[in-house]
Amino acid sequence: MKLVEKNKGTEVSHSAANSSPQDENNGGKTRPELIKKASTRANLENYEEAYAGFSWQDARKEISYFADGKVNAAHNAVDRHLNNGRRNKVALYAVGSDNKLEKLTFQEISEQSNRIGNALKSLGIKKGDRVFVFLPRVCELYTSTIAIAKIGAVAGPLFSAFGPDALRDRLRDSGAKVIITNAALKDKLDSIRGQLPELEYVIVTDVEQNKLGHQELGFKELVAKQSDKLNCEQMDPDDPLYLLYTSGTTGKPKGIVHVHGDIIGHHMTTKWVLDLRDDDVYWCTADPGWVTGTVYGIFGPWSNGVSCVSYEGRFDADSWYKLIDKLKITVWYTAPTALRMLMKAGDDAVYRHSLESVRHICSVGEPLNPEVVRWGMKVYGLPIHDNWWQTETGMQLICNIPCLPVKPGSMGKPLPGVYAAIVDDEGNELEAGKLGKLVVKPTFPNILRQVWRNQEKYNEYFKIPGWYFSGDNAWKDEDGYFWFVGRADDVINTAGHRVGPFEVESALVEHPSVAEAGVIGKPDHERGEIIKAFIVLSNGVEASDKLIEEIKDYTKKQLAAHAYPREIEIKDSLPKTRSGKIMRRLLKAWELGLPTGDISSLEDD
Ligand code: PRX
């Protein structure tokens, strides 16, 4: 095995065909068959050559365009496969929470999405209208998203764990006209319906029409009567495709708008980074309520004509490994928290299963610890390929790609077609080894096109001409590998979920016992960070453990299961600036025992 001590980590070669994992002192339990698989040729074979010679214009040949440069991402993801030999290929292996397996071919996805698209049109939905999907990972989630894109409406994926507050903020801000949901999730919607004047219809997948109320429609009846023929809307590459809300430091989540032309970046990155090929069975564990699940759980892999797996069930090491063996999953895209939880479940949990089919593993969303990469090498016989990107960038940008050695702890190198750099506050590029702001040139097709109804926020990303500011701090080593250091702002990353402190603080102060709240991310071994809240109780309210549990529960229900504070500390007052803003930086410094820095703006007692 190629082991080179370099920078922070150990370099691990992907093409480790001649090596033996015995070197790693793994107790004699080896996976040589997997090591051999890892040596198959990658889609992108020579990074330097590809980087030097790449142009996005040339990459257009991979995408199917209509006349006059018009395009539709859903046509590329689904309909084009009806005429290229993949018509009867399984596009989706959908595994329910009861482990029931449903298979849909590209033709079935195409016809089903045509019916849904026609149904939406019959309701008056047209190009540019926002249609949200609030479903667990079931077939209708995938077919509906494709249908929305086919008719040129803007798809709004919503994570099924969202509570009423999170739903209301997104649906109201976007002016959504239709939401597709199911009976179990509809309750959360019913409580906020009165606050959504622009919402015209609620379509419910699993309730019959005669049991539904005003402006509610039964999915099955509505869709069954539609034609399965539909011509995809021919879109300008800059026309919106999907709208995903994401958190920043201030205010409520912002709607990041991506466009149909993004399909080119979805396609190329899926091919290079996930290394997908026609015979792969690919599983992206992310929910389409997050950008990874939309881009790499739907559009990217399907544009490449690859069979995808969706799994409705919750995380559990044994169930995950069983799923891999049952469907013979070959490529697996997951997140550091899941990998840390798998590591905690132990080596024996791995060895109880074969996992022989797996040939490539990728990870995204939060820092991937070097020890997890080394553990992966030991138990799966494969390096885990970390990669970095954001909701705003709409595609992977800095990646460990299969043809390059993995440096455990590093996010990898910028992809061909992407220029990334580390700069100071003025936008001057810093030399290797220097910590600074991670920026990219906004010259790749998938960079965000708008922040929904918020030009000011959009401009903030581009405050220094020529650069897109990611909000992350990082450094680059002499070989051009990038290393993540942390967020430059207060945004919390808990188990790969990006959570804005303001959103949590708002939910907390809605509780009658809470007068004020300040929220920070606190380092956590398993989840990267957990949410910690400091609260001031309302006048006359007595502190108790029961009350703290009640407040946690309230936030979980109102906002989302992943966004509630796992720790709450009661304070007499919170540190504020003279203008009344809570100083989260100070709360964090106190919590972590760090120097408090400049506190000259702290309000006087
Ligand atoms: O802070 C970085 C972290 O997640 C942020 C983006 O979050 P989101 O828009 O939800 O997209 C997540 C999935 C694309 C980044 O600003 N992040 C993402 N990938 C990594 C990461 N931090 C460290 N290492 C990564 N590989």
Side-chain angles (χ1 to χ4, degrees):
M1 182 172 309
K2 191 171 171 195
L3 291 173
V4 187
E5 277 311 321
K6 215 166 205 184
N7 297 306
K8 290 209 291 196
T10 303
E11 203 176 88
V12 181
S13 171
H14 188 217
S15 14
N18 303 322
S19 64
S20 156
Q22 303 272 14
D23 302 351
E24 283 280 275
N25 185 24
N26 62 0
K29 288 174 174 166
T30 62
R31 304 226 145 209
E33 69 284 3
L34 296 181
I35 293 283
K36 229 181 263 156
K37 284 213 166 124
S39 70
T40 52
R41 274 170 47 185
N43 284 339
L44 181 64
E45 284 189 83
N46 185 324
Y47 171 79
E48 279 78 21
E49 222 173 83
Y51 196 92
F54 180 79
S55 93
W56 286 107
Q57 189 57 28
D58 290 349
R60 285 171 61 92
K61 65 179 183 301
E62 303 258 349
I63 296 302
S64 165
Y65 287 88
F66 303 115
D68 303 326
K70 301 278 186 193
V71 67
N72 187 301
H75 169 78
N76 278 277
V78 178
D79 287 4
R80 70 163 153 167
H81 302 306
L82 304 183
N83 301 315
N84 66 10
R86 298 190 182 105
R87 179 182 282 269
N88 296 316
K89 177 175 176 175
V90 174
L92 185 66
Y93 292 97
V95 181
S97 49
D98 54 0
N99 272 323
K100 216 176 120 236
L101 171 67
E102 251 185 280
K103 295 180 196 175
L104 289 180
T105 62
F106 279 104
Q107 174 155 9
E108 286 165 334
I109 301 257
S110 174
E111 289 173 357
Q112 185 65 0
S113 57
N114 286 350
R115 286 202 184 90
I116 303 169
N118 285 326
L120 291 169
K121 280 181 153 186
S122 76
L123 300 175
I125 295 302
K126 48 188 191 325
K127 192 173 159 181
D129 288 342
R130 278 77 58 212
V131 177
F132 276 64
V133 184
F134 184 41
L135 285 173
R137 290 182 293 275
V138 294
C139 292
E140 291 88 349
L141 163 54
Y142 296 85
T143 48
S144 299
T145 304
I146 291 294
I148 297 163
K150 278 187 170 181
I151 65 167
V154 188
L158 289 166
F159 189 37
S160 57
F162 282 149
D165 284 3
L167 275 180
R168 183 202 48 221
D169 291 345
R170 288 157 175 83
L171 293 170
R172 197 162 57 184
D173 181 74
S174 63
K177 283 198 170 169
V178 174
I179 180 166
I180 303 173
T181 188
N182 69 10
L185 297 173
K186 184 172 162 290
D187 279 354
K188 302 195 216 180
L189 188 66
D190 288 344
S191 63
I192 51 158
R193 238 351 240 289
Q195 300 172 54
L196 303 170
E198 292 176 77
L199 187 66
E200 292 173 12
Y201 296 103
V202 178
I203 303 178
V204 191
T205 54
D206 52 357
V207 182
E208 286 158 28
Q209 187 62 62
N210 59 16
K211 301 203 177 94
L212 289 165
H214 180 57
Q215 291 187 312
E216 295 178 346
L217 298 160
F219 182 94
K220 290 199 180 96
E221 287 108 313
L222 176 69
V223 167
K225 60 187 180 207
Q226 307 295 330
S227 157
D228 63 8
K229 305 276 180 295
L230 172 76
N231 287 327
C232 286
E233 198 69 33
Q234 304 198 3
M235 306 296 286
D236 190 89
D238 281 338
D239 283 336
L241 167 65
Y242 70 95
L243 172 62
L244 253 180
Y245 279 77
T246 196
S247 302
T249 311
T250 53
K252 299 278 189 175
K254 312 287 186 295
I256 304 298
V257 179
H258 283 285
V259 297
H260 278 263
D262 280 22
I263 192 69
I264 191 166
H266 299 164
H267 185 94
M268 296 310 297
T269 53
T270 299
K271 190 167 168 174
W272 290 332
V273 181
L274 302 173
D275 196 41
L276 292 185
R277 306 173 202 156
D278 230 342
D279 56 354
D280 276 316
V281 177
Y282 159 72
W283 182 28
C284 170
T285 63
D287 188 279
W290 308 107
V291 74
T292 307
T294 289
V295 173
Y296 297 107
I298 304 180
F299 289 103
W302 278 353
S303 180
N304 283 271
V306 169
S307 304
C308 293
V309 174
S310 74
Y311 177 54
E312 197 191 347
R314 294 176 67 88
F315 174 85
D316 162 72
D318 250 350
S319 315
W320 275 33
Y321 292 143
K322 267 190 201 146
L323 184 70
I324 289 175
D325 279 350
K326 176 174 167 177
L327 294 175
K328 300 204 175 359
I329 288 166
T330 56
V331 179
W332 182 25
Y333 193 17
T334 190
T337 292
L339 290 161
R340 286 190 291 264
M341 281 157 67
L342 290 168
M343 190 168 151
K344 194 167 147 199
D347 299 6
D348 285 340
V350 183
Y351 300 135
R352 279 199 292 275
H353 306 270
S354 154
L355 308 188
E356 197 197 349
S357 55
V358 181
R359 68 166 182 86
H360 186 43
I361 308 176
C362 294
S363 162
V364 72
E366 30 165 348
L368 180 65
N369 329 52
E371 70 263 32
V372 178
V373 180
R374 292 197 197 95
W375 173 78
M377 196 71 204
K378 180 178 99 172
V379 297
Y380 304 132
L382 295 167
I384 298 163
H385 293 76
D386 186 19
N387 50 77
W388 175 92
W389 57 296
Q390 303 178 300
T391 307
E392 292 88 336
T393 71
M395 67 175 216
Q396 298 152 333
L397 294 184
I398 297 178
C399 307
N400 286 285
I401 49 172
C403 69
L404 290 175
V406 170
K407 290 193 191 185
S410 161
M411 307 186 290
K413 291 186 169 203
L415 290 181
V418 174
Y419 187 86
I422 304 297
V423 300
D424 63 16
D425 289 340
E426 279 74 50
N428 304 305
E429 279 197 54
L430 299 177
E431 64 201 67
K434 289 253 157 63
L435 171 68
K437 311 261 178 271
L438 173 55
V439 295
V440 284
K441 283 192 180 162
T443 47
F444 54 96
N446 292 43
I447 188 73
L448 77 160
R449 295 316 162 88
Q450 302 170 40
V451 176
W452 185 256
R453 294 177 179 163
N454 195 339
Q455 184 67 32
E456 197 187 330
K457 179 68 203 166
Y458 176 83
N459 294 344
E460 275 177 29
Y461 289 109
F462 303 97
K463 57 191 172 197
I464 294 187
W467 295 121
Y468 160 82
F469 268 74
S470 69
D472 284 352
N473 290 330
W475 61 283
K476 184 172 88 165
D477 70 19
E478 273 159 11
D479 300 327
Y481 282 70
F482 283 72
W483 301 76
F484 180 83
V485 174
R487 284 291 301 182
D489 56 23
D490 293 335
V491 169
I492 301 164
N493 191 333
T494 177
H497 298 311
R498 187 164 150 187
V499 177
F502 181 79
E503 207 185 359
V504 187
E505 289 160 0
S506 303
L508 281 164
V509 297
E510 276 178 32
H511 190 283
S513 301
V514 181
E516 283 182 301
V519 162
I520 62 161
K522 178 177 171 180
D524 179 76
H525 184 65
E526 193 165 282
R527 298 174 172 268
E529 287 183 315
I530 55 160
I531 299 170
K532 169 147 189 177
F534 298 86
I535 59 170
V536 176
L537 292 178
S538 307
N539 272 342
V541 175
E542 286 277 323
S544 71
D545 289 350
K546 191 164 160 269
L547 177 65
I548 288 192
E549 285 315 306
E550 188 193 304
I551 295 169
K552 282 184 189 175
D553 220 46
Y554 176 83
T555 327
K556 197 188 268 186
K557 282 209 190 86
Q558 287 304 113
L559 199 54
H562 65 274
Y564 84 98
R566 283 169 188 263
E567 283 185 22
I568 295 185
E569 189 175 322
I570 296 173
K571 294 269 200 199
D572 291 336
S573 66
L574 295 179
K576 291 199 211 92
T577 61
R578 289 192 189 96
S579 61
K581 267 169 68 181
I582 290 166
M583 293 181 81
R584 300 185 191 115
R585 178 172 63 78
L586 211 55
L587 288 170
K588 190 153 185 167
W590 288 343
E591 177 68 28
L592 304 181
L594 299 172
T596 49
D598 177 14
I599 53 168
S600 55
S601 61
L602 186 66
E603 74 174 352
D604 302 327
D605 283 334

